[in-house]
Amino acid sequence: MTKPLRIGIAGLGTVGASLARLLQTKAGSILHRAGRPIEVVAVSARDRAKDRGFDAGAMEWHDDPVTLAAQADIDGFVELIGGADGPALECVTAALKRGIPVVTANKALLAHHGVDLARLAAANGTEVLYEAAVAGGIPIIKTMRESLSGNDVTRVYGILNGTCNYMLTRMEREGLSFDVCLKDAQDLGYAEADPTFDIGGFDAAHKLAILTSLAFGTEIDSGSIYIEGIERVTSEDIAAAKDLGYTIKLLAVAQLTDTGIEQRVHPALIPAAAAMAQVSGVTNAVAVDTDLLGSIMLAGPGAGGDATASAVLSDIMDLATGVVLPTLGIPVDKLKPYTRARMRAHEGGYYIRLSVHDRVGAIAAIATRMAQNEISLESIVQRRSSGHGDKAIATVILVTHETTESAVRAALLSISEDGHLAGEAQMLRIEQLD
Amino acid sequence: MTKPLRIGIAGLGTVGASLARLLQTKAGSILHRAGRPIEVVAVSARDRAKDRGFDAGAMEWHDDPVTLAAQADIDGFVELIGGADGPALECVTAALKRGIPVVTANKALLAHHGVDLARLAAANGTEVLYEAAVAGGIPIIKTMRESLSGNDVTRVYGILNGTCNYMLTRMEREGLSFDVCLKDAQDLGYAEADPTFDIGGFDAAHKLAILTSLAFGTEIDSGSIYIEGIERVTSEDIAAAKDLGYTIKLLAVAQLTDTGIEQRVHPALIPAAAAMAQVSGVTNAVAVDTDLLGSIMLAGPGAGGDATASAVLSDIMDLATGVVLPTLGIPVDKLKPYTRARMRAHEGGYYIRLSVHDRVGAIAAIATRMAQNEISLESIVQRRSSGHGDKAIATVILVTHETTESAVRAALLSISEDGHLAGEAQMLRIEQLD
Ligand SMILES: NC(=O)c1ccc[n+]([C@@H]2O[C@H](COP(=O)([O-])OP(=O)(O)OC[C@H]3O[C@@H](n4cnc5c(N)ncnc54)[C@H](OP(=O)(O)O)[C@@H]3O)[C@@H](O)[C@H]2O)c1
Ligand SMILES: NC(=O)c1ccc[n+]([C@@H]2O[C@H](COP(=O)([O-])OP(=O)(O)OC[C@H]3O[C@@H](n4cnc5c(N)ncnc54)[C@H](OP(=O)(O)O)[C@@H]3O)[C@@H](O)[C@H]2O)c1
């Protein structure tokens, strides 16, 4: 077992350069744990001249990652370019066609092509490893592929986007506005210049799609996820939630229901005393509910060069053993098709914030419409008002007992038609998490 | 890969019987994940007549687990008897001598004989797997052996005893006394009839010894752990801690210091806002601080038949792949000797509760003694008093800034010699956890 494992790395950015550095600076301890040396024999990026903080002298350089994947003399191919299609997909495909195992951190690629890649890997007697693709440095993929065998999962959920969690944490702790927090997240390099992908919930959705497949043994279906971002969450919502004993988090949830599997990403109120409510800043967390374990939770860094490279490295160590496991936990031909749960049937409590014309009888009218839709209220509170006389506007916060989204939407429509609303209603799910 | 994996199970109690049942009821999904059937071909327990809820018809029965280990036609041996020595040690040794890999949930065995067993396993080309031995259903062993390669660990700590955490949680939430909570824990089957092993901190210490070795690449040394149980924690301490913004937990901590590795198990105050403060009831949690990841935390069920059997099963699934990893993460001859950190050098804040004769100047005298020992106080509060006149006794709670245990002990000695104390002083560490 002293034959080195020769790998090629395509993509030498935040994660790729961290990985290459680690493999050099920690070669000694890696050898002890892997049982054989790990050698980077070939690399690819766009700019050959850039200094990336490691010694690339002995490494073969490829301008084209596909050529690296297709031709280099390697035992494993590491894709750290990013993107669902284009060069990432092409080079991963090229490696798998040669029967070379692939390690990737690319959630977009897997969310869109995971099943095809798993099939291609199986056909060529190899696998794709992707610990870093979901929740960065947290070993959730290994846990789901290897530690939960024999468990029937009923729900998997988590905080999967560090940028959103960083923003929500600062909005809560410092009472800052969404825009200020977004700008800081961008300045700190957490959010991209175009932050839609993070704050719109799309990044979390890609990660959820992968977890859903592992949890329920179904094909990946990232197109069926209900997605709502954090753009409409205000510091007023966060403050009101706090008073009610809740914290607002962008949650990604996949849940087994009577009609199929529900996949959703949206801001939600979770109890302030829940362990996940303590997950703050760029930290991610994932919880899995199963028949045998009840619930387990993993929390840790969701991004960052070193943390992500650490997860990539753990996959590379697994390659060193030579074992090939099914990419998606079970053989690809045993995956069930994904069956989407009936929409809006989700039962739970809701938080509703209304801007209401501050007139006598308004609250009574709102409460009546709720009752007509068979929504039982836990509380209804007028929080503050502004303006005077005819122009007076009050903020009303409602918390419902368990009901359905369609009932809430129907009630809000009536309330709006009654002419009580002075602005768009805010409506957030309450997730009890147990 | 369709050749079945034949296993023998010695010990069919809470965990063993759960495992045998699971292997029968979930054979289908286990086959998908393991890639080959898992067959229990031989079992051993004391009472052959007992109905254990699974079909033992086709299994070879052994009265003696050593005979099973030494003679049965098996690919893996599962030890679920318990105990550091005696039949557990004998049968595990017998299996390893034949080169048969061992799966065990036995922390006592590993804490006492782990290095010897790892050496015996390596000499015979096999390994010992023990996911269930630490924190039950939480995949902390796999995480430390396989996911943290390349990481340098600086600290590992956790809540490793469900009985203690159950008791402390109830004392906090319901204001109940230690004795009432202990009785309930016994009635519910969490604590043994002789609960010393749990509440004295010894069970947590066994688990910590294993984690320390994996974290720092050192030999297991369970004899060097500083151990303090929860027996002296009162509901008054818990209430005072709560007012100060802390929760009391039995923590197990292994930490790299300048003078070596500190291993300690003791009740500690942790910030109520820390994720680990939310770990309640019989739940366990482990956190690992590393250079690459910052901190990761895993939480879940620390005990129970099914949860523990789930962890045992994940080890058995790993056997099915045929890979042999070093039992303690790195080759046994690469383990460093354990170097114990200098005692009482630990720096941190302390919580101190004193019963003081309620006389004019007492608080000033106490504060002066603290100052003379260069202990800076964060707060000093008189919480309540009882009795009258000469007999009046006050409870005084002190919280110190960072200092050393020896400084606190010296100050308390002076305070006692000054004649202020009406009872034994309580002193608990404050653990900031970040
Ligand atoms: N950053 C994180 O914290 C994090 C966390 C989890 C997962 N991930 C995932 O990890 C992957 C890499 O992320 P990253 O943050 O490291 O990205 P990045 O910093 O943008 O790096 C991308 C790398 O790919 C190279 N590249 C781009 N197009 C190429 C092409 N056509 N041919 C060859 N090389 C090309 C770039 O070359 P140049 O350097 O020459 O421009 C760069 O080295 C993505 O899938 C991402 O989703 C990242
Ligand atoms: N229970 C948990 O939640 C938990 C959690 C984590 C780890 N563990 C560990 O798992 C192991 C098993 O625990 P457990 O709770 O399942 O123990 P248990 O319920 O007491 O079961 C012990 C089993 O061993 C058998 N046994 C005892 N002495 C024997 C001997 N000389 N020869 C053959 N069989 C013998 C007993 O046989 P009879 O049934 O015939 O008496 C019984 O089936 C221990 O190491 C424990 O520390 C347990």
Side-chain angles (χ1 to χ4, degrees), chain B residues 109-175:
Chain B
L109 176 73
L110 290 165
H112 287 99
H113 306 291
V115 175
D116 288 342
L117 293 174
R119 194 170 288 126
L120 184 61
N124 291 282
T126 191
E127 67 181 329
V128 181
L129 291 171
Y130 47 93
E131 186 61 84
V134 180
I138 304 174
I140 184 64
I141 301 298
K142 186 177 268 283
T143 295
M144 297 196 73
R145 289 205 332 160
E146 301 177 26
S147 298
L148 297 185
S149 321
N151 283 268
D152 288 316
V153 175
T154 49
R155 183 171 61 165
V156 56
Y157 63 98
I159 295 171
L160 299 180
N161 184 275
T163 306
C164 289
N165 205 50
Y166 166 83
M167 289 176 56
L168 293 172
T169 301
R170 290 206 61 200
M171 285 169 76
E172 174 170 330
R173 296 205 179 147
E174 300 169 54

Side-chain angles (χ1 to χ4, degrees), chain A residues 26 142 146 291 297 299 323, chain B residues 26 142 146 291 297 299 323:
Chain A
K26 303 216 174 187
K142 185 177 269 284
E146 301 176 27
D291 56 344
M297 179 177 120
V323 180
Chain B
K26 302 218 174 187
K142 186 177 268 283
E146 301 177 26
D291 56 344
M297 178 178 119
V323 180

